[in-house]
Amino acid sequence: MAAVALLMGLVVFQLEAQTFTNLYSFTGGSDGSSPQTSLVLAGGTLYGTTEFGGSSSDGTVFAVKTNGGTDTVLTNFNGNDGYYPVAGLVLMNGTLYGTTLTTLFKVNTNGSGFAVLTNFISSDGVAPEATLILSSNTLYGTTFCWRQFQQRNSVKVNADGSGLAVLKNFPALVSGTNSDGASPHCSLVLSGDTLYGTTESGGSSGNGVVFEVNTNGNGSAC
């Protein structure tokens, strides 16, 4: 809470001290390192990803209690099942869904049931860096990629890994201008049957766009 008063053009304020608590410090070893995205909270437990660390240094999915304590590693990535999970997780019915730079995966909140649902290839788009959104049993997301020749797309996939579909192909534009934008980097927003998002570059000035696309892939516009 803050009390603020205006006195002869000066602002006088009082700010009550807030409590800060460090719940867990990553060591950079088997517990993971470099968490880069938002957490999921369920039942007093926080779930997230680390880009690096773990048993193979390819990243982890972890759980930490909100009352502190030790970090529990739910999944260690080893390259074959994906690597560098920089995006966040979504939770449905006790199952966490997320992406690495090369895969879509699921794992139960107790660490069981890990499975790769989809391996991303260049035609689908690669390097999803934004957290997926979930509607009913369908996951929607974007692929950012990091090489000019690889596809950058808006995609959807069923929660069981089936039905992967590209909703919008963005050009592999590193710099310059176009009509559609390029390099979608952030999470999508869903309203009704319309997805909204942004691209990092492209557009009429080369500085990115805000776009919309229907969940069936029709009607894309900037």
Side-chain angles (χ1 to χ4, degrees), residues 22-100:
N22 183 339
L23 298 179
Y24 185 80
S25 292
F26 293 94
T27 68
S30 61
D31 58 349
S33 68
S34 301
Q36 292 200 29
T37 190
S38 57
L39 299 167
V40 173
L41 174 63
T45 301
L46 296 161
Y47 300 94
T49 59
T50 65
E51 182 177 8
F52 305 118
S55 60
S56 300
S57 300
D58 288 323
T60 70
V61 177
F62 68 87
V64 172
K65 296 291 186 182
T66 54
N67 60 4
T70 60
D71 163 86
T72 300
V73 174
L74 304 180
T75 292
N76 287 281
F77 294 98
N78 60 28
N80 294 323
D81 53 12
Y83 57 91
Y84 307 160
V86 295
L89 303 167
V90 291
L91 176 64
M92 180 177 69
N93 298 328
T95 301
L96 297 159
Y97 296 87
T99 57
T100 72

Side-chain angles (χ1 to χ4, degrees), residues 8 22 60 70 80 92 95 114 136 145 152 155 164 183 208 218:
M8 298 181 62
N22 183 339
T60 70
T70 60
N80 294 323
M92 180 177 69
T95 301
F114 175 84
S136 186
C145 97
R152 304 149 190 247
V155 299
L164 177 65
S183 301
N218 296 328

Side-chain angles (χ1 to χ4, degrees), residues 91-117:
L91 176 64
M92 180 177 69
N93 298 328
T95 301
L96 297 159
Y97 296 87
T99 57
T100 72
L101 293 187
T102 57
T103 61
L104 168 70
F105 66 87
K106 70 173 182 178
V107 61
N108 296 330
T109 53
N110 63 4
S112 66
F114 175 84
V116 172
L117 301 176

